[in-house]
Amino acid sequence: MGLPLLEDLPDPAGKRVLLRADFNVPLKDGHIEDDLRIRAALPTIQWLQEHGAEVTACSHLGRPKGKPDPEYTMDPVRERLGELAPGVELMENLRFDPGEEANDPGFVDRVVEGQDLYVNDAFGAAHRAHASIVGPPARLPSAAGRLLAREVEVLGGLLDKPRKPFVTVLGGAKVSDKLGVIGALLQRVDRLVIGGGMCFTFLAAQGHSVGGSLLESDRIDDCRRFLEDAGDKIVLPSDIVSMGPSDEVRTMGADVPGGWRGLDIGPGSAAAFSDEVTGAGTVLWNGPMGMFEDERFAAGTRALAHAMADAPGFTVIGGGDSAAAVRRFGVADQVDWVSTGGGASLEFLEHGDLPGLQALRKASNAPRD
Ligand code: ADP
Ligand code: MG
């Protein structure tokens, strides 16, 4: 069965529609730092309103631990939503109730009470088997919203029919977060380029010294196995920007001596990685190349961001901190797709499916094929 889309819903005119959105926006002192996730739901909201529906939205925000917490009230989101999409109601933070994360059927009943139809547009939460994600499709005619459908189309396309060569660039802090997706992607990619903190566990597996750089010793064997099985596909940095004992910053080769911490890929690696991106038919990038929040270690990530922007191939950013990086470097508009889900995009790429999508496909109105 395929994913039911908005067009597969019974006529929404005069109906009450429950919209599960991902309004988990970054907050600072009670103010929204970036309203992208609210704006990302607007095409779906507009379609529903144009078709005469009464929309009630719901979302989680932060990690309030199953009880009301004023720090995570939806009030700032409700205010911004009211400006962007007048007439939409917004429930209080779903995670104020322990039933949301526990997928408690009684909580599902309360969430869907009085609603006629359900739409899931929360790609960023679709990897969680939580009440508001997997519960409603068993009770109401349901559909994927525009954002969710497009995320699945783009990321599914990377798995099914990527234009070759298909290059994936991975970075970020922890290799353990990404072992599953590395294993899955190695089956499909022509090149796997690895930078960021996670490259040091791979470099250690090759016998390089990593000094005080990020290292997950218990994952060295996993990295060694990947290198043995697919070593010709894996590209690692040949130079590193490191910080020494008295905070001096220096570019060095792939060996980082004791007392030094590797915090960015070096210029030679940045150029080589950029060439991989430029030569690709399809590029997926997830995870910054260094500790880019600190300008001294931002050059590798900036170079990658610009390479993504200039690349002639189909370019996709896998959400999370890499999405923040392309926005910060002003090139988000020049990338073909910036996923709104970090963890969700990795899980989708690893497993080819998500609990929230499986639930929608089982809805009574889902198309049969
Ligand atoms: P994403 O959210 O894109 O998946 P991660 O959350 O895995 O990425 O990692 C992002 C974090 O990794 C950033 O905060 C960045 O500072 C950090 N990071 C990247 N490279 C290094 C490094 N060499 N040393 C320490 N931290 C790093
Ligand atoms: Mg992150």
Side-chain angles (χ1 to χ4, degrees), residues 80-260:
R80 187 72 184 119
L81 184 64
E83 292 162 2
L84 294 168
V88 175
E89 275 191 51
L90 179 62
M91 291 182 184
E92 191 42 279
N93 194 337
L94 293 165
R95 290 192 187 166
F96 281 4
D97 192 301
E100 168 64 357
E101 290 180 74
N103 188 19
D104 168 29
F107 183 67
V108 178
D109 290 339
R110 291 207 293 287
V111 171
V112 303
E113 201 190 317
Q115 305 292 334
D116 302 306
L117 307 173
Y118 169 77
V119 172
N120 185 352
D121 216 14
F123 178 71
H127 58 314
R128 310 270 188 220
H130 292 172
S132 66
I133 300 290
V134 296
R139 291 168 169 73
L140 301 175
S142 298
R146 290 287 186 254
L147 172 66
L148 182 67
R150 182 70 183 137
E151 291 271 13
V152 171
E153 186 178 308
V154 170
L155 299 174
L158 296 183
L159 297 177
D160 295 342
K161 46 175 174 14
R163 201 176 348 132
K164 299 282 199 164
F166 178 18
V167 174
T168 291
V169 183
L170 290 181
K174 289 170 71 187
V175 72
S176 51
D177 286 349
K178 294 177 187 173
L179 284 174
V181 81
I182 290 171
L185 284 171
L186 275 174
Q187 314 291 317
R188 300 172 192 275
V189 299
D190 299 295
R191 279 258 186 286
L192 179 63
V193 178
I194 298 178
M198 61 187 272
C199 77
F200 296 103
T201 306
F202 277 93
L203 289 171
Q206 281 187 330
H208 290 284
S209 57
V210 299
S213 310
L214 281 182
L215 174 69
E216 290 178 85
S217 325
D218 53 339
R219 301 301 183 187
I220 293 177
D221 284 342
D222 293 304
C223 292
R224 189 177 293 122
R225 216 165 303 126
F226 286 136
L227 287 164
E228 279 164 11
D229 294 349
D232 51 330
K233 287 186 178 178
I234 297 176
V235 182
L236 292 168
S238 55
D239 57 353
I240 301 288
V241 177
S242 301
M243 185 157 78
S246 49
D247 284 9
E248 81 190 276
V249 175
R250 196 183 287 171
T251 301
M252 50 186 65
D255 288 289
V256 178
W260 290 74

Side-chain angles (χ1 to χ4, degrees), residues 21 46 55 65-66 73 78 103 124 139 147 205 220 268 279 293 342 344 357:
Q46 275 153 14
V55 180
K65 305 208 175 83
T73 164
R78 191 173 294 107
N103 188 19
R139 291 168 169 73
L147 172 66
I220 293 177
E293 298 89 342
L357 307 177

Side-chain angles (χ1 to χ4, degrees), residues 25 31 88 237:
V25 293
H31 291 282
V88 175

Side-chain angles (χ1 to χ4, degrees), residues 171-174 177-178 196-198 200 214 262-264 286-293 319-323 346:
K174 289 170 71 187
D177 286 349
K178 294 177 187 173
M198 61 187 272
F200 296 103
L214 281 182
L263 293 171
D264 193 11
N286 177 289
M289 294 292 98
M291 206 175 76
F292 75 105
E293 298 89 342
D321 292 289
S322 359
L346 290 175

Side-chain angles (χ1 to χ4, degrees), residues 6 9-19 44-56 86-89 115-119:
L6 295 177
L9 288 171
D11 182 5
K15 298 277 173 52
R16 295 186 59 98
V17 178
L18 175 67
L19 172 67
T44 297
I45 292 174
Q46 275 153 14
W47 188 94
L48 290 168
Q49 290 184 325
E50 278 164 17
H51 286 77
E54 208 48 66
V55 180
T56 301
V88 175
E89 275 191 51
Q115 305 292 334
D116 302 306
L117 307 173
Y118 169 77
V119 172

Side-chain angles (χ1 to χ4, degrees), residues 305-331:
H306 285 287
M308 289 292 283
D310 296 339
F314 183 65
T315 49
V316 179
I317 305 272
D321 292 289
S322 359
V326 288
R327 286 201 284 278
R328 182 165 135 207
F329 299 132
V331 296

